[in-house]
Amino acid sequence: MTPRLGIFLAVLAMAPPLARGQTEAQALSASFRNAARPVLPAVVTIRGLGGLRPIAPLPGFVDPSNPFPGRDGVPDAGGSGVIVDSARGYIVTNDHVVPDAPRLVVTLADGRERTVREVRRDPRSDIALLIIDPKNLPAQAQWGDSEALDLADWVLAIGQPFGLSGTVTAGIVSGGRRGFSPVGYDDLLQTSAAINPGSSGGPLIDLQGKVVGINVAIKTLSGGYEGVGFAVPSARARRVVSDLAEFGQVRRSVLGISTEPTDPERVADGQSPPGVRVTSVVKGSPAEVAGLRLGDVILKVGDRPTLSPAAIRSAVEFAPAGRDLALTIFRDGQEMELACKPEPPGAPAQIEPRPLGP
């Protein structure tokens, strides 16, 4: 066999795998396009006019709505948002995107501008609901199920990084549930999809084109994208938005306990399963009524494992007040289940709705 014939046969043998790879790449590209196209018209740009927004980024993290991290304030700073109810003019964004300015303006994907009529905020979850004139708005984005996401699932981030509206970046769910904010949530979605200054408040979508998160922050040493971004999961954002729309504030339930993570040494020695240890119980609280005691280790709230105090808070706060919630606990060497009825904490700490514009 001549050398030329040998080369030809080698190339021929490689052709089927290469063709399959190209077909798979084209199919993935089509999936990205099909997911992004229906959502892009619903993604908006948000700007505050006539005021400064104070900026206080977390150490090591950057507010992606701020193109100049480290400065004390930025005139007309803004970010992204997504229309979730066209009929009512509802737009979801991050609370930190909303500046304390006398006027907020939303720029639609087609360039039209609308003045924000009202802002309803929930700083604790970093979610805000903006209300604009609903006339002739594009089709709304649809909520997806963040709880159905798994590690390495594909996701797309949409927003206006550096003022470049309609930008789509692709990545995967790159880590388990994360937490870093002062409010104590540890359920943020970590993604490798590029999120940059201006992307805050934009949607993170799955390959079905459903909103599974609201982009919130990036981990960076340079002030730009370095491969790690975070989004508020839709499971929480959707509930917050629902309460803001219906009540103007978020209703949260409490058990009336303080907790701490179980000692890793006790877990390693087999003295306790992984969970959260109860360190105090408020007298007369739902937890005391249910029979929780100091030293109990809470393993699950409902069917959700609780490996941190933040996990308990996330599981309890949106539980219906006054209705039974199952707690799986470890006490005296054995597991048992208690029925607890969470109750509202009293006066809400949320910011009152702020009417704006005509």
Side-chain angles (χ1 to χ4, degrees):
M1 182 172 62
T2 66
R4 180 174 296 180
L5 179 60
I7 293 173
F8 172 77
L9 292 176
V11 171
L12 186 64
M14 292 174 62
L18 288 174
R20 285 197 299 271
Q22 185 177 33
T23 299
E24 291 172 358
Q26 290 173 340
L28 184 59
S29 294
S31 296
F32 290 166
R33 289 194 300 271
N34 294 336
R37 279 175 178 167
V39 183
L40 277 166
V43 179
V44 305
T45 300
I46 300 164
R47 292 180 296 126
L49 302 180
L52 292 176
R53 178 175 53 83
I55 296 164
L58 298 168
F61 293 84
V62 168
D63 163 4
S65 72
N66 172 22
F68 305 105
R71 290 179 56 182
D72 293 333
V74 178
D76 301 344
S80 305
V82 58
I83 299 171
V84 294
D85 191 327
S86 298
R88 294 181 174 88
Y90 288 172
I91 294 172
V92 177
T93 186
N94 291 140
D95 177 72
H96 73 255
V97 164
V98 181
D100 291 323
R103 185 178 176 218
L104 294 180
V105 173
V106 166
T107 303
L108 304 178
D110 60 8
R112 290 179 294 154
E113 291 190 348
R114 297 283 169 89
T115 298
V116 176
R117 292 176 170 177
E118 185 178 340
V119 178
R120 302 182 182 183
R121 301 173 58 184
D122 183 51
R124 180 168 171 177
S125 65
D126 203 0
I127 292 294
L129 175 65
L130 310 184
I131 303 176
I132 64 172
D133 181 354
K135 183 179 179 180
N136 296 326
L137 287 182
Q140 67 199 41
Q142 302 296 320
W143 288 109
D145 183 8
S146 57
E147 297 295 310
L149 291 176
D150 205 347
L151 190 66
D153 280 350
W154 282 105
V155 287
L156 306 177
I158 306 179
Q160 54 109 19
F162 305 110
L164 303 171
S165 61
T167 296
V168 180
T169 57
I172 61 172
V173 177
S174 59
R177 301 300 190 257
R178 305 296 192 197
F180 60 81
S181 71
V183 298
Y185 287 112
D186 68 351
D187 62 348
L188 297 181
L189 299 174
Q190 180 182 311
T191 178
S192 64
I195 298 173
N196 272 299
S199 296
S200 261
L204 188 74
I205 65 172
D206 60 18
L207 291 190
Q208 284 70 52
K210 302 294 180 64
V211 178
V212 291
I214 301 297
N215 302 324
V216 66
I218 55 178
K219 176 68 173 175
T220 180
L221 298 177
S222 66
Y225 171 71
E226 292 185 17
V228 181
F230 300 93
V232 178
S234 62
R236 175 151 51 89
R238 187 175 187 179
R239 168 59 195 272
V240 168
V241 169
S242 177
D243 271 13
L244 290 176
E246 186 172 356
F247 306 106
Q249 61 190 24
V250 179
R251 304 172 302 167
R252 288 181 167 90
S253 298
V254 297
L255 292 181
I257 57 174
S258 296
T259 61
E260 65 181 14
T262 307
D263 183 355
E265 294 295 334
R266 290 179 58 83
V267 174
D269 291 342
Q271 301 177 52
S272 172
V276 177
R277 191 174 74 89
V278 176
T279 57
S280 69
V281 178
V282 176
K283 187 173 180 58
S285 67
E288 185 187 53
V289 173
L292 270 178
R293 304 176 188 171
L294 295 181
D296 285 346
V297 177
I298 301 177
L299 308 179
K300 290 193 297 184
V301 176
D303 59 356
R304 295 178 60 178
T306 53
L307 299 179
S308 70
I312 290 184
R313 184 162 47 250
S314 296
V316 170
E317 68 176 6
F318 291 139
R323 294 174 56 181
D324 281 346
L325 179 66
L327 304 179
T328 303
I329 69 169
F330 181 78
R331 177 191 295 170
D332 298 331
Q334 60 182 358
E335 287 189 19
M336 58 188 299
E337 190 171 290
L338 299 177
C340 190
K341 297 181 186 292
E343 295 294 344
Q350 284 72 43
I351 294 175
E352 291 298 319
R354 175 162 62 102
L356 290 173

